[in-house]
Amino acid sequence: MDMKSKITFLVVLFGLTGLHFSFKNALEEKGAFDPSKQKYQECIDACNNCASMCANCASECLSAKETNLNRCIQFCLETASICRSASELMSLNSDKVKEICKTCADLCNKCREECMKHNYDHCKECADACKKAEDLCMNMSK
């Protein structure tokens, strides 16, 4: 994927994040979403943080001088996507929470392992966020 395509992908990714929060806000206004009463809140917060850290890591890796970061970028983008999806489904109290949280935990694990291979602060921070989301999602998947 060339640099222009990667940047376009990140712009779309960040646009989808805005759409998620608009949807969430609309649900809150309708009274269909009450995060203070959600049994999933800690996991939702961890997934949202992980998605943010993964997006940041992918962005930072794109601007790094090192050229062997393609797997890291790919895992970060995939993990950010699944974390946002898991967060949204938990917010909706979906009957698919166990399944998506299992998938989310698996991707967080792969992303964490890849990020740990690189000696960048943003990769270490991403790995830490992935570990927390992985642990909480694994508990939700049981």
Side-chain angles (χ1 to χ4, degrees):
M1 185 183 287
D2 66 347
M3 183 62 80
K4 184 177 178 183
S5 296
K6 289 177 182 177
I7 291 171
T8 301
F9 183 80
L10 285 174
V11 168
V12 169
L13 178 70
F14 291 127
L16 291 175
T17 300
L19 178 63
H20 163 77
F21 288 111
S22 295
F23 179 69
K24 180 181 160 198
N25 290 339
L27 287 174
E28 286 174 344
E29 288 172 11
K30 299 281 185 196
F33 176 83
D34 185 3
S36 65
K37 295 180 182 174
Q38 290 288 326
K39 61 184 173 184
Y40 305 118
Q41 192 59 51
E42 186 178 8
C43 192
I44 290 169
D45 292 343
C47 285
N48 287 337
N49 182 57
C50 186
S52 177
M53 296 304 289
C54 285
N56 178 65
C57 187
S59 178
E60 291 290 329
C61 285
L62 279 171
S63 63
K65 293 179 181 171
E66 193 175 335
T67 58
N68 65 341
L69 296 172
N70 288 342
R71 283 179 50 90
C72 188
I73 294 166
Q74 182 67 33
F75 280 129
C76 283
L77 294 175
E78 290 176 9
T79 302
S81 179
I82 195 69
C83 281
R84 283 190 303 278
S85 296
S87 171
E88 196 164 315
L89 288 180
M90 284 184 281
S91 296
L92 295 170
N93 200 25
S94 170
D95 62 350
K96 299 297 181 190
V97 167
K98 286 184 180 185
E99 292 90 342
I100 198 161
C101 282
K102 173 68 172 113
T103 302
C104 188
D106 291 344
L107 277 171
C108 285
N109 177 270
K110 290 183 186 314
C111 188
R112 179 182 56 80
E113 287 177 352
E114 183 61 32
C115 281
M116 292 303 295
K117 295 177 184 176
H118 308 289
N119 194 24
Y120 291 109
D121 288 341
H122 62 268
C123 285
K124 303 297 183 220
E125 291 167 0
C126 183
D128 290 344
C130 284
K131 177 64 175 155
K132 183 170 184 176
E134 175 189 356
D135 290 345
L136 291 169
C137 279
M138 190 56 72
N139 286 339
M140 289 294 158
S141 70
K142 296 178 182 175

